[in-house]
Amino acid sequence: MTDDTDEQWMQAAITQARLAEAKGEVPVGAVIIHEGQVIGRGHNERESSQDPTAHAEMIAIREAAKQLGSWRLIDTTLYVTLEPCPMCAGALVNARVPRVVWGCDDPKAGATQTVYTIGNDDRLNHRFECVPGVLGGECSALLSQFFAAIRAKNNPGNMR
């Protein structure tokens, strides 16, 4: 169930996504909330850091764990603009995040609902609540515009 608070925090994740976009990174952003405060934030940094694990969620998880002084991120919610991939969904399970809210689905690598359901797999030791589609149109548009601009730049004769 989504509410105005979910939309407020998703806007914070979108702000992070725009920071990624400004750096030429795929515009995905994430924030982790604990007791009404942002304790972790991140945006994609794979290109700038040349680190394949530098996804928005992973950066936010690391920052939140440092803030709490614990790898167990109980009583938190992660907000992310794009459905988490298998790596990030696995990290969310391991970090014991109880609730994950995302903007748009990822039809190629979504690991919470679309392709896999890691957050709800009974074989794992932890499961999390999944809340899809919060400000999904805005999150999807960010990604679509980013990739359209890349295609136009790489193929200037095909301006549609």
Side-chain angles (χ1 to χ4, degrees), residues 1-61:
M1 178 178 182
T2 65
D3 59 23
D4 291 342
T5 303
D6 284 343
E7 290 186 6
Q8 169 195 340
W9 293 122
M10 187 58 71
Q11 283 293 344
I14 289 169
T15 297
Q16 289 296 310
R18 291 188 190 287
L19 292 173
E21 182 179 38
K23 295 178 179 178
E25 299 276 357
V26 175
V28 177
V31 294
I32 296 179
I33 308 305
H34 179 258
E35 297 178 350
Q37 300 291 319
V38 175
I39 61 163
R41 60 179 49 89
H43 55 271
N44 276 2
E45 295 183 9
R46 289 189 313 169
E47 296 297 331
S48 57
S49 68
Q50 291 301 300
D51 177 354
T53 70
H55 289 202
E57 301 95 309
M58 300 296 285
I59 294 165
I61 288 168

Side-chain angles (χ1 to χ4, degrees), residues 36-115:
Q37 300 291 319
V38 175
I39 61 163
R41 60 179 49 89
H43 55 271
N44 276 2
E45 295 183 9
R46 289 189 313 169
E47 296 297 331
S48 57
S49 68
Q50 291 301 300
D51 177 354
T53 70
H55 289 202
E57 301 95 309
M58 300 296 285
I59 294 165
I61 288 168
R62 288 183 195 118
E63 186 176 304
K66 191 172 186 177
Q67 282 288 327
L68 291 179
S70 174
W71 61 268
R72 291 177 186 90
L73 302 181
I74 56 173
D75 299 324
T76 64
T77 298
L78 170 86
Y79 292 87
V80 61
T81 57
L82 178 66
E83 179 183 5
C85 73
M87 173 184 66
C88 294
L92 293 162
V93 167
N94 285 324
R96 311 298 196 266
V97 173
R99 186 168 186 260
V100 177
V101 179
W102 67 91
C104 58
D105 291 343
D106 184 345
K108 294 183 179 179
T112 54
Q113 168 179 286
T114 307
V115 179

